[in-house]
Amino acid sequence: MNAWSIAPIGLALAWGIMGLIFWQRIRLLRWLGVLGSTSFVALSIALLTMVQKEKFLILQVGAWRAPFGITIAIDLLGALMVTMTSVLAWFIALYSLTEIDESQVRYGFYPLFFLLLMGVFGAFTTGDLFNLYVWFEVMLMASFVLMALGGYRAQLEGATKYVLLNLIGSTFFLIAAGLTYSLTGTLNMADLAVQIREIDNPSLPLVLSALFLIAFGIKAAIFPLFFWLPASYHTPPVAVTALFSGLLTKVGVYAMVRVFTLIFPFNGTILQPILLVLAGFTMVTGVLGAAAQWDLRRLLSFHIISQIGYLIMGLGLFTPLALAGTIFFTLHVVIAKAALFLVSGMIQRLTGTFNLKSLGNLAQTQPGMALLFAFPALSLAGLPPFSGFFAKLILVRAGLEAQQGAIVAVSLVVSLLTLFSMSKIWQEAFWKPARREGKGILPVHMWGAVGGIVVVGVLLGLFANPIMTLSLQAAEQLLQPSMYIQMVLGGQP
Amino acid sequence: MGFMILLLTGFVLTFTAPWIRRRLRKWSLPVFLLYPLAALALLWNISETIQKQSAIAVSLPWVPSLGVNLSLRIDGLGWLFGLLISGIGALVIVYAHGYLHHHPQENRFYGFLFLFMTAMLGVVWSEDIFLLFVFWELTSISSFLLIGLEHPEEKARKAALQALLVTAGGGLALLAGLVGLTLITGSSNLSVMNTLNGKIVQSELYLPVLLLILAGAFTKSAQFPFHFWLPGAMAAPTPVSAYLHSATMVKAGVYLLARLTPALGGTPQWHTLLTLFGLATLLAGAFLALGQTDLKRLLAYTTVASLGTMVFLIGLGDSLAIKSAITLILAHALYKGALFFVAGGIDHSAHTRDLNRLGGLAGTMPFTAFAAVLAGLSMLGLPPALGFISKELVYEAALESASGGNALIALIALSGVTAVGIWVAFLPFWKKPDEQTARGHGEEITLWLPPVLLGLISLGLGLLPGIASKALVQPAVEAVLLKSTPVKLALWHGFTPMLALSGLTLAIGTVLALNRMRFQPAVQTILQTLAPISPERGYERGLTGLKHFAALQTNFLQNGYFRRYLMVTILSGILLVGIVLLQSDSLPWTSFTPPRFYEVILVGVILTGVFSVTRTSSRMVAAALLGMMGFTIALIYLLYSAPDLAMVQFTIETLSVILFVLVIYRLPQFTRTRGGPPAVLDVVVSVAAGVLVTVLVLTLSAVPHDSLVTSFYAENSLKLAQGRNVVNVILVDFRGFDTLGEITVLALAGIGVFALLKLSGKTEAIRTSSQEETK
């Protein structure tokens, strides 16, 4: 028993309630955002240290022993994801100080922000399948309102598409969870892992896996289920888009990783090639979508999809190295992507537009911004010595080891196309003569937030070893679920 | 360790050089020179070790969990390349101070230059192949930035992108190849790999690995058919062309091939591919050069030809060929760098690089002319320049190789190169000026000193071949071949076939050079005819095709129609689950109790309701029908003895219908959006979804199980949780945490409703430039 495991959820809830208490106190709320996120960072680092020592932090909520109550369990993967979320949230909170306008703060931006994080933390830490569904709902509702907050026409349209298509995903999830319960009579993930392995007919778990794949695939925006993402991500304020890009789809991927390692290991089944094929298509369609865009934020949104393909590729390969690749890649891409979105927000702030056609000459007028763009952009394209390079290297290596040359080839071509579309932004926004010169200066904490997140990304590449080691350990843990199962069901070993 | 610190300093300089330049202005020159001079000093320091055929190695962990380490190892080959990179680098810094003076990008140019210099030194000093790859890609990035230095001009931007895509594309292939190589050998250390030739060659991965690595090396070293980016890269300022695109970076591919010769070489595949591509590049480069009139493009294409020669020689792979390759690398770097400097000086002085408009500059630019003569001697392969020795060696190696055709091809191509050498090095200075000749005005010391120095070194090494062979070439050759190989270069070998070929080359070259006006238009015509099938056109077509395809597929997939999104999403779900269901055998299909008649009736009512909802054109009716279906479902709950659940459902349905009715009056007129064939598809998808879920429920619930959880709840809800209503106890106690989450959802929805009501009504989209999705 370790009560710390519920701390992220509890803390986020507490801050969310604080946000509601100080409703309409705008200045206070803004700093509450930063303060709250700081507490998350501190907590998550503490959790990461504890997990490294104790392997698992497990709490049976209400002291109902598993599988009768709800289990909250943090393993290394969960702790890494919580840490990533907290770090991202911190920078977003800093950036939001001026990016989120007053009316949005007045109507609940900060409570929504914290409750969204509560949902994300919940998803990363729960050990119960239905509880995971509940956190998905929390996230969905919070993100829907955040997306629509502001009331612009485009926002509403985007948010509607977003919520409706995601509800389809939730429906699949609910159906899958219900059927799983009717098959096994339990919802506790560790118990499920035991029960599913005892089922004689291998087809039944496989069918359930397919349902979960669809459910989480919609959340994760894989091919051909990604439509909601490009339809909506360019509409809310950039800080919100950056937050979403870092969290929502990644929770979907996390859920896949968790469910497909712990409960339904699919290696050797038909789902493995299917997953690899989907990974390839996700990469390709995403990056081609990006190549066709002229709106900076839309272009970046399509890249989210493309990068999800890499994460799925790691899962599909299903070796320790590949899963470590997925984990490291997730951390890398969340930071790099958020940084790029935030830079695009700076550009928009300065020039009033996201349109690449009317931007230009920023390398001359804003050399600092050019640098802040160049690092995460190169990282995203997988160029060394940035984190994206190691993320790609580990996946390529895992792919070749598993003799899956095709997906490796696709991933390499896609990374060239990523470089192409990054250089398109560079050429259009930074190099070509400007049609519209930006003026004014940006607030200092905006520079601080973006500079900070870029530095974090660069450090993740230059000092990749600690995080890479953790990713490898986390992957090891995932592929040996017996330990997790024993810890959850059997109490102390 | 000193080398490691040097490289680190280089990266620091990358970011600080612009600032230093801005603060110190003219005085930044000596500061900047410190870096390459320090590199030279370090190399000088270890020269004794190098002469003894040993190497300096240093290693620090970087990402040991992936087996990637900061391992450097400087042997004879790395030493020679290091000398070239830092020596020519120092001259480039001097040159750039004159050439780029008052250039708008002057300050950051030095940042990019140091990035390149450091990366290039890293490439040739890396022991860990992934570290090598890191530096390799950094040279591509710095090359991109330097080619695009004149970025307000579209030509520069395009050329930069072209160079980046070609070299980075090759880089990705290289990465895959290197990973493959580590998988075979189990090590990422070059010197370990180089001892495992047998294992590598026998591996079934050998051919793919070889092809991938060659793709990387060939793109970087501008081999045919990837050569086209190099002339494009001439959009960069001349110091960049001299440094990156002739003396050093383009030789990285050659370096890699030489470096991996012990690991990958010695097979028919290696031999065939390298000599084939090398000769093709040599021919193509020489021929293309003959059609040019721009000084820099002339030099660029002859660089291509020389790179082809180097690859060809490495492909031959015997000690003579390697010896001649190394000599050529050295000679070429010296004379080609000098000639680029000269071309830049001419451009600076006469404001043109067009052969047709140049002439008679010897008077106004005596020192530059002197440098041109020195370098020209070497390029033409005239004694006593180093180029003469190198050309002799090339012919010797070609003659010794099995096929006599090699020498013939070399003769033809090198004659062309000779002609170009005469044009570039002599024409601008000694041709009689005519009315369209541009006038030159003076020369600056920063612009003539570097080429003069290079020319003198070239001459000096030719006059003292002993030094060249003992100190420079032999250590490098031995580092490539990993065996002791005495190298003796000499100017005079007696009357040999090589000498005859050299003379013949010179004669043909001179004849070609003197008749430029006569045959150059013909070459240009041929090139124009071939243009549609040229690799460059292929690249452009590929790029345009890619953009078209990207737009096409994106418009097709992300077309803005929500109905389509919905349908594809659901259809994908059905297909995936369906496929899995179909391919898996023996689902338990059997035992469930036959439905009772009132169940059939209720289901019938629901189905009728569903059908009617899709047919009605009144919102009110639709709401009522939905309510009816909800009530029917509640009745089913009742049948299965869940009265409390049914009560909840009744309440919810009643409320929903009331709310619906209240809202409906505020909504605009209901219009049917479509009908006809697409509607049939909708029906099919919906029915399929329904059938699928039904099948799933029937099959999965057919498996008997005894749930511990259910019985635990039933037994303990009163005993442990003090509640008689099990469902309630589950909701508030056993699984109370879920309820907390659900309450949060409600709170969120509350905030949402409030905020949307208060904030809506702003129709003007400020944040998004275009209102809706791409259509």
Side-chain angles (χ1 to χ4, degrees):
Chain A
M1 286 299 236
N2 195 324
W4 279 103
S5 62
I6 206 169
I9 302 175
L11 199 60
L13 179 63
W15 284 110
I17 292 170
M18 291 277 273
L20 286 172
I21 291 174
F22 296 109
W23 186 259
Q24 307 260 345
R25 304 274 299 274
I26 296 180
R27 272 186 69 83
L28 184 66
L29 280 172
R30 287 190 192 277
W31 287 105
L32 217 60
V34 178
L35 201 63
S37 316
T38 315
S39 73
F40 295 147
V41 175
L43 172 68
S44 60
I45 290 171
L47 286 175
L48 202 57
T49 349
M50 275 189 265
V51 162
Q52 273 175 279
K53 208 161 56 206
E54 299 180 26
K55 297 259 192 293
F56 298 95
L57 306 178
I58 290 168
L59 177 76
Q60 314 290 0
V61 180
W64 296 111
R65 76 192 150 81
F68 306 115
I70 289 171
T71 304
I72 304 291
I74 303 186
D75 60 354
L76 200 47
L77 174 64
L80 279 172
M81 292 291 132
V82 168
T83 311
M84 170 198 87
T85 307
S86 310
V87 170
L88 177 67
W90 193 82
F91 287 110
I92 300 286
L94 198 61
Y95 191 87
S96 302
L97 285 176
T98 50
E99 164 69 16
I100 301 301
D101 62 35
E102 213 180 291
S103 64
Q104 284 158 330
V105 179
R106 198 179 289 278
Y107 291 105
F109 175 80
Y110 282 101
L112 290 166
F113 172 78
F114 283 124
L115 293 178
L116 174 69
L117 289 177
M118 176 189 176
V120 175
F121 287 145
F124 286 148
T125 56
T126 188
D128 187 280
L129 194 60
F130 186 75
N131 197 235
L132 180 64
Y133 173 79
V134 172
W135 297 124
F136 268 57
E137 292 295 281
V138 172
M139 268 165 29
L140 180 59
M141 190 49 92
S143 53
F144 167 62
V145 182
L146 271 177
M147 199 172 262
L149 197 65
Y152 297 104
R153 192 191 152 86
Q155 271 186 297
L156 287 180
E157 187 191 329
T160 313
K161 286 177 181 169
Y162 166 75
V163 78
L164 287 178
L165 287 168
N166 268 283
L167 278 174
I168 304 285
S170 296
T171 311
F172 270 103
F173 189 0
L174 195 58
I175 293 173
L179 291 174
T180 308
Y181 182 72
S182 90
L183 187 65
T184 59
T186 183
L187 287 167
N188 183 294
M189 289 188 191
D191 194 28
L192 270 173
V194 177
Q195 304 286 341
I196 289 288
R197 281 171 180 74
E198 281 173 4
I199 288 174
D200 309 322
N201 190 334
S203 309
L204 295 173
L206 201 60
V207 172
L208 288 176
S209 312
L211 275 175
F212 279 112
L213 178 57
I214 293 293
F216 299 144
I218 292 175
K219 297 282 173 195
I222 67 170
F223 175 87
L225 311 165
F226 58 70
F227 304 107
W228 59 267
L229 195 150
S232 61
Y233 265 30
H234 59 283
T235 59
V238 141
V240 174
T241 312
L243 187 68
F244 286 5
S245 85
L247 300 182
L248 300 183
T249 45
K250 308 305 176 289
V251 175
V253 174
Y254 165 85
M256 276 195 211
V257 170
R258 178 66 74 201
V259 166
F260 289 142
T261 51
L262 181 60
I263 308 177
F264 302 105
F266 60 82
N267 47 328
T269 69
I270 187 178
L271 277 185
Q272 194 167 12
I274 287 180
L275 211 57
L276 284 175
V277 169
L278 289 180
F281 272 103
T282 309
M283 288 179 206
V284 172
T285 49
V287 81
L288 287 180
Q293 302 303 314
W294 285 93
D295 177 300
L296 195 44
R297 262 200 306 179
R298 272 196 194 135
L299 196 160
L300 293 174
S301 301
F302 270 102
H303 271 298
I304 301 177
I305 299 170
S306 178
Q307 306 292 319
I308 293 290
Y310 286 88
L311 307 182
I312 303 300
M313 167 184 168
L315 178 62
L317 292 170
F318 212 78
T319 62
L321 197 63
L323 273 175
T326 294
I327 296 166
F328 188 84
F329 208 113
T330 308
L331 302 172
H332 139 71
V333 80
V334 163
I335 299 293
K337 214 42 200 277
L340 287 175
F341 269 115
L342 295 185
V343 172
S344 81
M346 290 174 102
I347 293 176
Q348 194 266 349
R349 209 22 129 73
L350 211 58
T351 61
T353 182
F354 284 112
N355 189 344
L356 286 176
K357 283 182 178 153
S358 42
L359 287 168
N361 208 27
L362 287 170
Q364 214 56 299
T365 54
Q366 293 286 335
M369 196 187 282
L371 216 56
L372 290 184
F373 170 81
F375 287 150
L378 291 171
S379 185
L380 197 74
L383 281 173
F386 301 104
S387 51
F389 167 66
F390 292 106
K392 192 172 70 184
L393 177 63
I394 187 170
L395 282 181
V396 166
R397 193 173 173 150
L400 289 181
E401 265 176 10
Q403 300 186 331
Q404 297 283 359
I407 188 75
V408 171
V410 171
S411 75
L412 288 175
V413 170
V414 168
S415 97
L416 184 64
L417 293 175
T418 309
L419 181 64
F420 168 69
S421 71
M422 286 298 130
S423 61
K424 173 174 167 180
I425 300 179
W426 181 258
Q427 302 233 339
E428 296 295 331
F430 289 89
W431 265 5
K432 80 163 190 274
R435 237 185 268 170
R436 177 172 356 175
E437 288 286 348
K439 45 185 178 294
I441 44 168
L442 297 169
V444 65
H445 48 253
M446 211 173 221
W447 283 106
V450 182
I453 200 164
V454 168
V455 167
V456 169
V458 169
L459 293 181
L460 189 60
L462 291 183
F463 300 96
N465 199 46
I467 300 290
M468 189 61 86
T469 315
L470 284 180
S471 306
L472 285 162
Q473 285 168 2
E476 210 66 53
Q477 238 179 23
L478 286 175
L479 288 179
Q480 288 166 354
S482 54
M483 180 94 159
Y484 177 97
I485 295 169
Q486 193 193 355
M487 288 293 288
V488 171
L489 295 180
Q492 305 303 323
Chain B
M1 210 54 216
F3 291 94
M4 200 80 87
I5 293 167
L6 183 82
L7 293 183
L8 268 179
T9 320
F11 288 124
V12 174
L13 269 177
T14 301
F15 295 101
T16 51
W19 179 78
I20 295 176
R21 168 77 200 169
R22 202 160 42 237
R23 295 303 291 274
L24 297 180
R25 301 308 311 166
K26 240 168 49 198
W27 295 104
S28 61
L29 177 61
V31 178
F32 286 163
L33 278 179
L34 282 179
Y35 181 69
L37 292 180
L40 284 175
L42 281 174
L43 290 169
W44 178 257
N45 218 8
I46 61 162
S47 53
E48 266 185 47
T49 323
I50 297 296
Q51 301 306 323
K52 279 185 272 167
Q53 322 313 341
S54 59
I56 302 286
V58 56
S59 180
L60 289 176
W62 186 15
V63 191
S65 47
L66 281 185
V68 178
N69 292 308
L70 297 171
S71 309
L72 300 181
R73 184 167 178 279
I74 297 116
D75 62 2
L77 189 62
W79 192 74
L80 175 65
F81 266 94
L83 281 184
L84 287 175
I85 294 160
S86 34
I88 299 181
L91 296 179
V92 164
I93 292 176
V94 173
Y95 189 84
H97 264 78
Y99 190 86
L100 286 176
H101 202 50
H102 299 309
H103 191 281
Q105 307 281 335
E106 197 186 0
N107 295 338
R108 63 183 70 169
F109 164 82
Y110 291 100
F112 301 156
L113 192 71
F114 282 117
L115 175 64
F116 169 74
M117 204 183 285
T118 313
M120 194 61 212
L121 287 173
V123 167
V124 298
W125 290 346
S126 291
E127 160 77 346
D128 187 299
I129 49 167
F130 293 111
L131 185 64
L132 187 150
F133 181 78
V134 169
F135 287 122
W136 178 281
E137 294 290 67
L138 282 176
T139 61
S140 293
I141 296 170
S142 54
S143 156
F144 171 77
L145 292 169
L146 285 167
I147 298 173
L149 206 65
E150 315 271 359
H151 56 70
E153 284 173 37
E154 191 180 3
K155 204 173 120 240
R157 295 200 300 273
K158 275 201 163 152
L161 180 66
Q162 194 181 50
L164 180 71
L165 287 183
V166 174
T167 51
L172 289 168
L174 176 64
L175 177 65
L178 294 181
V179 171
L181 205 53
T182 31
L183 289 185
I184 301 174
T185 58
S187 166
S188 61
N189 278 355
L190 277 167
S191 43
V192 177
M193 288 176 174
N194 276 341
T195 58
L196 293 171
N197 180 274
K199 195 171 174 187
I200 297 169
V201 170
Q202 275 152 24
S203 159
E204 56 181 12
L205 281 176
Y206 174 68
L207 193 59
V209 162
L210 178 66
L211 290 176
L212 288 167
I213 289 179
L214 289 188
F218 285 176
T219 47
K220 194 79 167 181
S221 281
Q223 298 297 296
F224 182 84
F226 308 113
H227 62 280
F228 57 89
W229 70 264
L230 186 57
M234 294 299 129
T238 307
V240 176
S241 311
Y243 194 31
L244 274 72
H245 303 124
S246 90
T248 56
M249 185 183 91
V250 287
K251 295 201 173 73
V254 175
Y255 166 82
L256 185 71
L257 294 177
R259 178 56 85 203
L260 288 173
T261 295
L264 294 170
T267 63
Q269 296 96 316
W270 169 272
H271 181 80
T272 317
L273 285 169
L274 262 65
T275 50
L276 202 68
F277 276 93
L279 285 177
T281 310
L282 171 60
L283 268 181
F287 187 70
L288 284 160
L290 288 175
Q292 310 301 320
T293 56
D294 178 296
L295 285 182
K296 280 179 76 178
R297 290 180 78 84
L298 282 161
L299 289 171
Y301 279 115
T302 50
T303 305
V304 170
S306 301
L307 292 168
T309 318
M310 294 169 202
V311 169
F312 162 69
L313 291 170
I314 292 174
L316 292 180
D318 54 294
S319 55
L320 177 64
I322 297 297
K323 190 163 68 178
S324 95
I326 301 289
T327 318
L328 179 59
I329 288 170
L330 180 63
H332 179 257
L334 294 173
Y335 76 70
K336 198 53 81 54
L339 284 176
F340 265 109
F341 286 145
V342 167
I346 294 173
D347 193 9
H348 212 252
S349 166
H351 301 290
T352 180
R353 298 192 307 249
D354 189 348
L355 272 187
N356 297 322
R357 300 195 53 222
L358 289 170
L361 286 172
T364 44
M365 311 177 69
F367 289 106
T368 315
F370 175 58
V373 170
L374 289 180
L377 285 182
S378 192
M379 180 162 176
L380 301 186
L382 286 173
L386 187 60
F388 171 71
I389 301 176
S390 125
K391 189 177 281 184
E392 298 268 284
L393 279 171
V394 171
Y395 277 129
E396 194 178 349
L399 283 173
E400 285 219 345
S401 69
S403 133
N406 288 347
L408 185 64
I409 293 174
L411 174 69
I412 296 171
L414 290 180
S415 306
V417 173
T418 309
V420 174
I422 295 174
W423 296 346
V424 174
F426 299 97
L427 216 60
F429 299 100
W430 313 103
K431 191 181 91 172
K432 273 213 192 80
D434 51 31
E435 69 276 7
Q436 52 169 333
T437 303
R439 306 218 148 259
H441 59 81
E443 52 186 347
E444 294 169 31
I445 181 165
T446 44
L447 296 191
W448 62 255
L449 187 62
V452 166
L453 283 177
L454 284 180
L456 286 176
I457 295 172
S458 186
L459 192 69
L461 288 178
L463 286 171
L464 302 165
I467 293 187
S469 50
K470 262 268 152 307
L472 300 171
V473 177
Q474 184 169 338
V477 171
E478 289 178 342
V480 172
L481 294 171
L482 296 179
K483 61 181 184 200
S484 158
T485 322
V487 176
K488 268 187 105 69
L489 301 181
L491 277 174
W492 183 250
H493 293 279
F495 294 98
T496 56
M498 287 79 81
L499 187 65
L501 280 173
S502 255
L504 196 57
T505 313
L506 197 64
I508 302 177
T510 318
V511 172
L512 280 177
L514 293 178
N515 294 298
R516 184 169 78 86
M517 287 314 187
R518 237 164 276 157
F519 78 90
Q520 197 168 36
V523 174
Q524 282 164 347
T525 320
I526 297 175
L527 288 180
Q528 256 162 27
T529 331
L530 289 177
I533 54 162
S534 69
E536 178 161 28
R537 201 58 70 78
Y539 161 86
E540 278 161 13
R541 277 209 208 100
L543 209 58
T544 337
L546 175 76
K547 286 179 192 161
H548 278 296
F549 180 67
L552 208 69
Q553 85 125 43
T554 310
N555 280 340
F556 173 70
L557 285 173
Q558 197 73 28
N559 55 13
Y561 287 116
F562 180 68
R563 289 188 304 272
R564 270 274 290 283
Y565 298 167
L566 202 59
M567 198 175 77
V568 174
T569 305
I570 295 177
L571 195 62
S572 321
I574 299 170
L575 280 178
L576 181 76
V577 181
I579 288 171
V580 172
L581 208 57
L582 285 181
Q583 68 87 43
S584 57
D585 35 34
S586 70
L587 280 176
W589 230 148
T590 44
S591 57
F592 51 89
T593 48
R596 286 162 290 186
F597 81 96
Y598 38 86
E599 289 171 345
V600 175
I601 290 174
L602 288 178
V603 170
V605 170
I606 291 175
L607 286 178
T608 323
V610 170
F611 184 72
S612 316
V613 165
T614 60
R615 300 301 306 166
T616 180
S617 57
S618 148
R619 282 209 179 84
M620 188 69 93
V621 175
L625 284 169
L626 284 174
M628 184 187 86
M629 279 144 61
F631 278 106
T632 323
I633 291 170
L635 283 175
I636 294 180
Y637 289 155
L638 261 185
L639 282 182
Y640 285 89
S641 48
D644 41 358
L645 214 53
M647 290 307 291
V648 175
Q649 183 82 9
F650 281 138
T651 324
I652 290 171
E653 289 303 333
T654 315
L655 269 176
S656 318
V657 171
I658 290 171
L659 286 176
F660 251 124
V661 170
L662 285 176
V663 172
I664 279 171
Y665 283 109
R666 303 285 220 116
L667 292 178
Q669 190 64 41
F670 182 76
T671 43
R672 284 202 150 275
T673 41
R674 63 173 182 181
V680 176
L681 195 58
D682 291 352
V683 171
V684 171
V685 172
S686 328
V687 170
V691 168
L692 184 76
V693 174
T694 313
V695 168
L696 287 179
V697 171
L698 289 180
T699 46
L700 283 159
S701 55
V703 181
H705 70 85
D706 37 5
S707 169
L708 275 176
V709 178
T710 321
S711 51
F712 177 87
Y713 287 162
E715 278 167 29
N716 292 310
S717 102
L718 185 60
K719 200 161 66 186
L720 293 177
Q722 277 83 39
R724 286 177 198 285
N725 184 331
V726 182
V727 174
N728 282 357
V729 173
I730 293 175
L731 286 180
V732 301
D733 198 338
F734 292 129
R735 298 188 63 91
F737 203 51
D738 282 343
T739 313
L740 174 73
E742 294 296 353
I743 292 170
T744 314
V745 175
L746 276 184
L748 286 166
I751 300 174
V753 170
F754 181 69
L756 285 182
L757 286 178
K758 287 281 186 181
L759 281 176
S760 67
K762 289 191 244 171
T763 42
E764 189 195 1
I766 296 169
R767 290 192 178 279
T768 40
S769 43
S770 42
Q771 315 85 333
E772 284 167 289
E773 269 189 86
T774 353
K775 173 61 208 59

